[in-house]
Amino acid sequence: MANAGIQLLGFVLAFLGFIGLIASTIMAEWKLSSYAGDNIITAQAMYEGLWKSCVSQSTGQIQCKVYDSLLQLTGMVQGTRGLMVGAILLAGIAILVAMVGMKCTTCLAEDQEQKGKVALTGGIVIIIAGLCALVGTSWYGNRIAKEFYDPFTPTNSRYEFGKALFVGWGSACLTIIGGAFLCCNCSSKGSGKSSRYPPNHSAAPPGRDYV
């Protein structure tokens, strides 16, 4: 009998990862202005996200501007947008599918084998969603690191990893782990249905009568 507790744990981890992916995608702090090296600390800090860029003043005032045109964005930002939005959509659909296949729900209760297949399908799609998010955040982070260590990048134009990247990495890992738990806990095929009984030989061959 499969552990319903581990299956429930996988579902909770996947759901937390799903919420984290949404939070990471809408956050504006994907990269922050860097003050490393000879950079002069100014009275304002700049940070950018997938949807807008913001400037924070030393007085606490924050001004944000949504990107005007999609076509003006770099391929990295467009690609990361697509991967994160796709990961959120896949994870949301897969969580609903996995919920149907979980042992603690009454859906498909009459067919445990089919119920296990539904949970397995949901787990696989959740893993795919986590991988999409992991690729998107890693791609964005790799570009930040390359520009930071590029000697031709002006010192005052360098950026560091923002909070949204760490939230995205953590959420992607939670989603992948949760999907793996759901996949590993699919119900085994009919444990009690394969029992075979020896043929009944109650009908004995006709005997011979002796006088």
Side-chain angles (χ1 to χ4, degrees), residues 1 21 23 26 39-40 42 69 74 76-77 99-100 103 105 112 118 151 153 164-165 172 180-181 184 186 195 197 206:
M1 183 176 181
L21 292 180
I26 64 177
N39 196 5
I40 300 175
T42 61
S69 174
T74 62
M76 177 196 64
V77 176
M99 190 183 302
V100 175
K103 294 181 176 299
T105 60
Q112 291 297 322
V118 172
T153 302
L165 272 180
F181 281 168
C184 294
C186 59
S195 57
Y197 298 94

Side-chain angles (χ1 to χ4, degrees), residues 166-180:
F166 297 104
V167 174
W169 280 323
S171 301
C173 292
L174 285 178
T175 306
I176 294 173
I177 294 173

Side-chain angles (χ1 to χ4, degrees), residues 24-25 27-33 46-54 67 73-84 132-148 159-166 168-169:
S24 174
T25 303
M27 288 175 66
E29 299 181 4
W30 276 68
K31 62 179 182 179
L32 303 170
S33 54
M46 300 178 60
Y47 48 92
E48 298 181 5
L50 299 179
W51 312 97
K52 59 184 177 181
S53 59
C54 298
Y67 298 137
L73 299 176
T74 62
M76 177 196 64
V77 176
Q78 294 182 17
T80 306
R81 271 188 182 184
L83 287 170
M84 295 302 293
C132 288
L134 189 61
V135 170
T137 51
S138 299
W139 183 17
Y140 198 98
N142 181 60
R143 179 62 64 89
I144 294 175
K146 278 187 176 181
E147 293 179 352
F148 183 86
Y159 289 87
E160 295 183 357
F161 297 153
K163 298 177 183 178
L165 272 180
F166 297 104
W169 280 323

Side-chain angles (χ1 to χ4, degrees), residues 14-158:
F15 184 77
L16 292 177
F18 171 65
I19 299 299
L21 292 180
I22 296 177
S24 174
T25 303
I26 64 177
M27 288 175 66
E29 299 181 4
W30 276 68
K31 62 179 182 179
L32 303 170
S33 54
S34 174
Y35 300 111
D38 298 329
N39 196 5
I40 300 175
I41 299 179
T42 61
Q44 63 182 16
M46 300 178 60
Y47 48 92
E48 298 181 5
L50 299 179
W51 312 97
K52 59 184 177 181
S53 59
C54 298
V55 177
S56 176
Q57 306 291 340
S58 59
T59 58
Q61 183 181 5
I62 300 177
Q63 297 178 348
C64 295
K65 180 183 178 182
V66 179
Y67 298 137
D68 297 328
S69 174
L70 176 65
L71 300 179
Q72 291 180 351
L73 299 176
T74 62
M76 177 196 64
V77 176
Q78 294 182 17
T80 306
R81 271 188 182 184
L83 287 170
M84 295 302 293
V85 172
I88 291 173
L89 292 177
L90 285 177
I93 296 173
I95 285 175
L96 296 178
V97 173
M99 190 183 302
V100 175
M102 291 182 64
K103 294 181 176 299
C104 57
T105 60
T106 57
C107 300
L108 300 177
E110 66 281 355
D111 191 350
Q112 291 297 322
E113 182 177 349
Q114 187 67 25
K115 194 176 181 71
K117 291 180 180 179
V118 172
L120 177 63
T121 302
I124 292 175
V125 178
I126 287 174
I127 292 176
I128 295 175
L131 290 176
C132 288
L134 189 61
V135 170
T137 51
S138 299
W139 183 17
Y140 198 98
N142 181 60
R143 179 62 64 89
I144 294 175
K146 278 187 176 181
E147 293 179 352
F148 183 86
Y149 291 110
D150 188 356
F152 298 102
T153 302
T155 308
N156 56 357
S157 299
R158 294 179 179 177

